Amino acid sequence: MEKRTKSIDIKSLFMNYSVYLVLVSLVIFFSVANGDFLSTYNVENFLQQIPPVGILTVAYAMILICGYVDLSIGYVGMAAGMVGLYASNSGLPAPVVICISLLVGAILGTMNALLIKKFDLPSFILTLGTSYVIKGMLGFFTDEQFIGSDKEWFNKLAKMPIGTEMVKSNALIFVIIIVVFVFVMKNTRLGKYTYAVGSNPEAARLSGINTDLHIVKIFIIEGMLAAVAGLLIVSNLNGGASKDANGLDLFAMAAAIMGGTSFSGGIGTIGGAVAGILTLQVFKNGLTLMGVNSFLQDTVTGLVIILAIIIDYLKRRASRQS
């Protein structure tokens, strides 16, 4: 009996921390397989690319823990970033531009939440629809063209060196967001309510939580985090186009699930979600350095995502049987 308990514990530990083991294994493998993997140039490039999608993953983890899905998060972020770009090009000062972008993200997040709750719609279908609406509007106003930035401060928003050329301002923003939301989810009422609503909405409501209001709050926070990510994407590229948001929503969702966030809600951590996106990005970066065809990269990445979803299913089934 003791032996069986021990084996179950080992299995449980592997299930809970497998993403960290995979991340470390990938770093070791690619470091040995390709000498450029840990080069200054590649590390700098990696640190420049990870923050926007990492911030989206943090936001997505919160939505998933709350029991919802948002397929519009990438386009919400890009819409906020592009509005910020236009505001910057029109000569508005930096604080005003940033506030406008955050407001756009908050409004779009609120719109999603209100439509979901008011009409009792599945978040998956509703946000798929809003993603197409936002994508279409972005394409219409930009004519599917790349819009460049005229302001030096805007271009430096994501690329200002922090102590060293290797670490830029967007990496610092990402770390601050991780620290803040790890604390929020572990130590605040907002975090505890998010887990409660995701685990059992009816029980949460009966315990005195205003579940509808809480869900709106989470979508607003998600929209504002998406806006930050969108601003960093546009700043990093010195401009933007609607296509820059393609696939970001599914990538962020997959990373959060890979990091242990349950698709059915109530389970997950911000730290695990960050480990998930680091794992996916390390994997893609390593395959690129090894010269793997981009189409094969997508295929292999897709298989890894499917594996992560299967592991999530096995974890949920095991928890129901225990």
Side-chain angles (χ1 to χ4, degrees):
M1 185 75 171
E2 216 174 290
K3 196 174 191 183
R4 191 178 164 203
T5 306
K6 189 176 178 184
S7 68
I8 290 173
D9 288 341
I10 291 172
K11 182 180 176 183
S12 175
L13 282 171
F14 177 77
M15 284 289 197
N16 291 329
Y17 297 100
S18 57
V19 66
Y20 299 99
L21 295 173
V22 172
L23 176 58
V24 172
S25 300
L26 285 175
V27 170
I28 293 171
F29 172 76
F30 287 124
S31 300
V32 173
N34 192 296
D36 292 330
F37 182 74
L38 292 180
S39 67
T40 301
Y41 172 79
N42 190 55
V43 172
E44 181 179 341
N45 186 50
F46 182 84
L47 291 176
Q48 193 65 18
Q49 290 179 351
I50 192 73
V53 70
I55 293 168
L56 289 177
T57 302
V58 170
Y60 220 119
M62 293 183 69
I63 283 290
L64 285 173
I65 292 169
C66 199
Y68 289 82
V69 173
D70 187 353
L71 295 181
S72 68
I73 186 172
Y75 285 106
V76 167
M78 188 51 58
M82 292 300 289
V83 169
L85 172 63
Y86 277 108
S88 168
N89 284 348
S90 68
L92 292 176
V96 175
V97 170
I98 293 169
C99 287
I100 289 173
S101 291
L102 292 175
L103 182 61
V104 169
I107 289 171
L108 292 174
T110 303
M111 180 185 73
N112 276 335
L114 291 178
L115 288 172
I116 289 167
K117 298 310 299 178
K118 179 71 175 174
F119 299 103
D120 195 23
L121 299 172
S123 60
F124 188 93
I125 300 300
L126 184 278
T127 57
L128 177 63
T130 54
S131 73
Y132 274 96
V133 171
I134 298 169
K135 179 183 179 182
M137 295 300 289
L138 281 173
F140 175 77
F141 284 110
T142 63
D143 198 26
E144 288 291 338
Q145 301 298 311
F146 181 86
I147 308 299
S149 169
D150 297 336
K151 304 299 178 183
E152 187 177 352
W153 74 262
F154 190 90
N155 297 334
K156 286 184 176 180
L157 192 64
K159 293 175 289 192
M160 189 179 299
I162 306 296
T164 170
E165 284 294 326
M166 188 178 291
V167 180
K168 302 294 198 303
S169 49
N170 63 353
L172 177 62
I173 292 168
F174 182 34
V175 170
I176 291 171
I177 285 173
I178 292 170
V179 172
V180 168
F181 283 96
V182 164
F183 177 83
V184 166
M185 294 301 286
K186 281 187 174 181
N187 302 292
T188 70
R189 184 180 296 177
L190 181 75
K192 291 171 185 175
Y193 282 7
T194 302
Y195 283 104
V197 171
S199 298
N200 191 326
E202 184 59 19
R205 186 184 67 79
L206 292 173
S207 69
I209 299 173
N210 186 335
T211 54
D212 288 353
L213 178 61
H214 183 78
I215 291 161
V216 172
K217 287 179 182 177
I218 294 300
F219 269 92
I220 290 172
I221 291 169
E222 183 213 29
M224 293 176 76
L225 286 174
V228 174
L231 279 171
L232 294 181
I233 291 171
V234 177
S235 172
N236 195 37
L237 296 172
N238 295 341
S242 60
K243 65 181 181 180
D244 294 330
N246 288 348
L248 290 179
D249 45 10
L250 295 177
F251 202 66
M253 179 173 70
I257 293 172
M258 181 176 285
T261 306
S262 176
F263 194 76
S264 59
I267 299 171
T269 64
I270 299 301
V274 171
I277 192 59
L278 288 173
T279 300
L280 281 179
Q281 286 291 90
V282 164
F283 188 63
K284 288 191 72 175
N285 180 259
L287 291 179
T288 301
L289 288 176
M290 293 179 71
V292 176
N293 180 280
S294 61
F295 295 110
L296 286 178
Q297 284 187 41
D298 290 340
T299 301
V300 177
T301 303
L303 290 172
V304 171
I305 291 170
I306 290 170
L307 179 61
I309 293 171
I310 291 171
I311 290 173
D312 174 59
Y313 165 76
L314 294 174
K315 284 166 66 176
R316 284 188 281 119
R317 191 177 70 172
S319 66
R320 284 197 300 266
Q321 291 174 350
S322 60

